Amino acid sequence: MQDNTRLTGKVAIVTGAGSRNPGAGATTIGNGRAIAVLMAARGAKVLLLDVDRTALEETARLIAAEGGVCALAEADVSKADDCAAAVAEAVRLWGRVDILVNNVGISGPPGNAEGVDPDAWDYAMQVNVKSVMLMAKYAVPEMRKSGGGAIVNLSSVAGLRAGHPGLLYATTKGAIVQMTRAMAGHHGADNIRVNAVAPGYVYTPMVASRGMTEELRQQRAQSGMLKFEGSAWDVAEAACFLASPAARWITGVTLPVDAGRSAGNAAGASPKPAGALR
């Protein structure tokens, strides 16, 4: 039986494919790097995009060590010219674009509506939201030429529920959820599927850079229904599934990868009244 989770023959572009904060530990990996490595391991040719070439080179090294195929390009995906050039490079190298992963994102300025810095807000909106539109703007026509494709956008559980202290981050991740639905409707007739992944409390270099203590890591892990910590590899598995032929009839969906946190609070067993049948 054919393995429809394979990506053999597909050409993928992954934004934010580098990974920051090497001090987080050798086993800690960012979402973009994990997605790129796993897609290459499953047979895709992957164009790695990031503003940091050094970070890209490490991702490329990991892919090469597993026998995968990739190329890298420095790009600021908040800029239209860089996005157009990136898509053109994938086509030049491999003749097509089948998969786009819009992973790039920043925490942005802290604060609620009263305290947030308006200029920093504008910049973060460009990085987190405008980049999704720009990359799709240039990738969709190439997907259409090939008979279809898959776009996977990275949101967050912060975009699904209240509670995040930063208005900017929660707003941009919520915008990505609705962009995913709207884009799925716009491009479904061209057999272009658009889905999103919403990570929860996964441990990544971005999280580690905030001075995360071991105690706080345990608290975060215990807040989910499954009671153990997730990693970028869990996010990558979801992204690869949504990009694969196995998800051929799935579009417009935001898939939480959060140990059940967005579904509600974990509860103990229901108490049984005295005399109840077992």
Side-chain angles (χ1 to χ4, degrees):
M1 189 174 183
Q2 184 177 356
D3 182 359
N4 283 332
T5 64
R6 294 288 301 173
L7 300 173
T8 305
K10 303 295 186 183
V11 173
I13 299 174
V14 180
T15 73
S19 192
R20 305 296 187 275
N21 190 27
T27 60
T28 305
I29 191 169
N31 292 330
R33 177 172 287 170
I35 292 167
V37 169
L38 193 56
M39 285 192 166
R42 293 190 178 166
K45 299 179 179 70
V46 186
L47 180 63
L48 313 172
L49 303 185
D50 207 295
V51 294
D52 184 338
R53 188 173 187 85
T54 301
L56 286 177
E57 288 171 348
E58 175 59 17
T59 304
R61 185 191 67 78
L62 293 173
I63 290 173
E66 297 294 325
V69 177
C70 71
L72 52 88
E74 290 181 65
D76 179 347
V77 292
S78 69
K79 297 178 179 177
D81 288 348
D82 283 19
C83 295
V87 172
E89 178 67 359
V91 173
R92 184 189 72 80
L93 289 168
W94 300 307
R96 59 192 293 146
V97 175
D98 302 291
I99 298 165
L100 168 64
V101 180
N102 284 308
N103 164 75
V104 82
I106 59 176
S107 297
N112 58 21
E114 292 179 285
V116 70
D117 178 81
D119 292 332
W121 172 283
D122 289 345
Y123 172 72
M125 288 291 288
Q126 290 183 45
V127 174
N128 288 11
V129 181
K130 185 181 179 182
S131 66
V132 176
M133 175 274 292
L134 287 175
M135 285 302 302
K137 181 180 184 68
Y138 299 106
V140 163
E142 297 300 330
M143 292 179 177
R144 188 182 295 118
K145 291 176 187 176
S146 300
I151 298 173
V152 181
N153 300 322
L154 267 288
S155 180
S156 166
V157 293
L160 301 177
R161 54 185 293 174
H164 195 279
L167 179 62
L168 179 282
Y169 187 77
T171 298
T172 59
K173 294 305 181 179
I176 289 170
V177 171
Q178 185 53 30
M179 287 177 75
T180 297
R181 295 190 190 106
M183 290 167 66
H186 293 159
H187 305 300
D190 291 315
N191 195 32
I192 296 170
R193 300 181 298 103
V194 187
N195 293 292
V197 176
Y201 283 164
V202 296
Y203 190 67
T204 64
M206 180 185 286
V207 173
S209 70
R210 300 172 191 152
M212 185 71 58
T213 65
E214 197 61 35
E215 181 182 8
L216 186 52
R217 283 182 69 179
Q218 287 302 314
Q219 288 176 5
R220 283 161 52 98
Q222 290 298 311
S223 70
M225 295 179 184
L226 297 179
K227 308 304 180 188
F228 62 89
E229 185 178 66
S231 76
W233 296 113
D234 299 302
V235 177
E237 289 284 359
C240 287
F241 166 70
L242 290 172
S244 77
R248 70 187 188 99
W249 217 48
I250 300 173
T251 195
V253 164
T254 295
L255 175 60
V257 181
D258 66 348
R261 225 177 140 258
S262 59
N265 297 320
S270 299
K272 293 184 175 63
L277 295 175
R278 293 185 180 275

XYZ file of all heavy atoms in Angstrom, residues 13 16 26 44 51 67 69 72 80 111 116 126 128 138 159 174 193 200-203 206 212 223 236 252:
178
model
N 8.870 25.166 -0.048
C 9.530 26.367 0.449
C 9.140 26.514 1.917
O 7.948 26.481 2.250
C 9.098 27.623 -0.328
C 9.453 27.499 -1.815
C 9.749 28.871 0.270
C 8.925 28.648 -2.660
N 11.508 31.046 7.513
C 11.990 30.949 8.885
C 12.610 29.596 9.162
O 12.431 29.020 10.237
N 21.668 21.559 22.370
C 21.810 20.909 21.068
C 20.549 20.193 20.630
O 20.297 20.022 19.441
C 22.977 19.928 21.114
N 10.958 15.508 -0.041
C 10.800 16.794 -0.722
C 12.149 17.453 -0.968
O 13.103 17.264 -0.198
C 9.916 17.725 0.105
N 16.407 35.246 7.188
C 17.272 36.430 7.082
C 18.679 36.137 7.578
O 19.605 36.908 7.324
C 16.688 37.629 7.868
C 15.382 38.102 7.255
C 16.490 37.276 9.346
N 20.813 12.768 3.976
C 20.698 12.454 2.560
C 19.626 13.234 1.826
O 19.250 12.877 0.705
N 17.695 16.756 0.094
C 18.037 17.747 -0.926
C 17.461 19.094 -0.508
O 16.266 19.205 -0.203
C 17.472 17.352 -2.309
C 17.778 18.433 -3.339
C 18.040 16.016 -2.746
N 19.387 27.023 -0.094
C 19.046 28.087 0.851
C 19.123 29.449 0.181
O 19.855 29.641 -0.781
C 19.935 28.018 2.088
C 21.459 27.959 1.898
C 22.030 29.354 1.829
C 22.081 27.187 3.055
N 8.109 42.281 -0.614
C 7.567 41.626 -1.801
C 8.660 41.138 -2.740
O 8.580 40.025 -3.275
C 6.618 42.576 -2.533
N 2.761 44.044 25.645
C 1.774 45.007 26.130
C 0.400 44.853 25.529
O 0.208 44.264 24.464
N 1.260 48.963 24.154
C 2.044 48.501 23.015
C 2.583 49.670 22.194
O 1.918 50.705 22.041
C 1.202 47.551 22.130
C 0.093 48.297 21.404
C 2.090 46.808 21.151
N 3.856 43.257 9.737
C 4.441 42.947 8.432
C 5.128 41.586 8.442
O 4.971 40.793 7.501
C 5.446 44.030 8.049
C 4.832 45.374 7.702
C 5.880 46.380 7.260
O 6.760 46.056 6.475
N 5.797 47.592 7.777
N 4.696 38.986 10.651
C 3.853 37.858 11.021
C 2.663 37.633 10.090
O 2.234 36.489 9.915
C 3.329 38.032 12.451
C 4.400 37.826 13.501
O 5.585 37.754 13.189
N 3.991 37.756 14.755
N 2.984 34.892 -4.618
C 3.894 34.433 -5.672
C 3.934 32.912 -5.804
O 4.235 32.394 -6.891
C 5.296 34.996 -5.409
C 5.290 36.507 -5.424
C 5.388 37.240 -4.241
C 5.133 37.208 -6.619
C 5.347 38.632 -4.252
C 5.089 38.600 -6.637
C 5.194 39.299 -5.450
O 5.139 40.677 -5.471
N -3.673 32.422 19.202
C -4.636 32.965 18.256
C -6.006 32.330 18.347
O -6.929 32.726 17.628
N -4.151 35.084 15.499
C -5.570 34.971 15.176
C -5.849 35.350 13.731
O -6.676 34.728 13.056
N -4.695 23.431 -1.332
C -5.206 23.324 0.024
C -4.450 24.285 0.937
O -3.240 24.462 0.796
C -5.054 21.890 0.545
C -5.802 20.871 -0.290
C -5.671 19.461 0.252
N -4.295 18.992 0.251
C -3.506 18.921 1.313
N -3.949 19.318 2.505
N -2.267 18.480 1.220
N 1.102 24.786 20.758
C 0.898 25.229 22.130
C 2.232 25.437 22.812
O 3.151 26.028 22.235
N 2.362 24.895 24.021
C 3.568 25.117 24.819
C 4.705 24.169 24.414
O 5.176 23.364 25.213
C 3.247 24.929 26.298
C 2.520 26.083 26.952
C 1.874 25.917 28.174
C 2.483 27.342 26.363
C 1.214 26.965 28.789
C 1.832 28.390 26.966
C 1.189 28.194 28.182
O 0.544 29.235 28.788
N 5.135 24.247 23.170
C 6.295 23.466 22.757
C 7.559 24.213 23.178
O 7.570 25.447 23.267
C 6.292 23.196 21.239
C 5.096 22.349 20.852
C 6.316 24.480 20.439
N 8.619 23.457 23.417
C 9.866 24.060 23.850
C 10.770 24.257 22.647
O 11.223 23.304 22.022
C 10.554 23.178 24.897
C 11.730 23.861 25.572
C 11.530 24.964 26.396
C 13.026 23.402 25.372
C 12.593 25.595 27.020
C 14.102 24.026 25.999
C 13.872 25.124 26.817
O 14.934 25.753 27.427
N 13.139 29.896 20.695
C 12.493 31.180 21.005
C 11.992 31.195 22.442
O 12.126 32.188 23.163
C 11.329 31.447 20.038
C 10.616 32.763 20.301
S 9.149 33.036 19.255
C 9.927 33.403 17.689
N 13.606 30.636 30.338
C 12.708 29.619 30.873
C 13.419 28.744 31.916
O 14.436 28.123 31.628
C 12.214 28.752 29.716
C 11.182 27.718 30.093
S 9.569 28.431 30.483
C 9.187 29.301 28.973
N 0.227 21.744 32.208
C -1.005 22.472 31.888
C -1.814 21.800 30.783
O -2.985 22.103 30.592
C -0.682 23.910 31.476
O -0.036 23.939 30.206
N 6.308 19.763 13.476
C 6.737 19.354 12.136
C 5.921 18.176 11.620
O 5.572 18.122 10.427
C 8.223 19.000 12.156
N -8.673 24.438 4.959
C -9.342 25.426 5.804
C -9.287 25.119 7.287
O -9.966 25.771 8.091
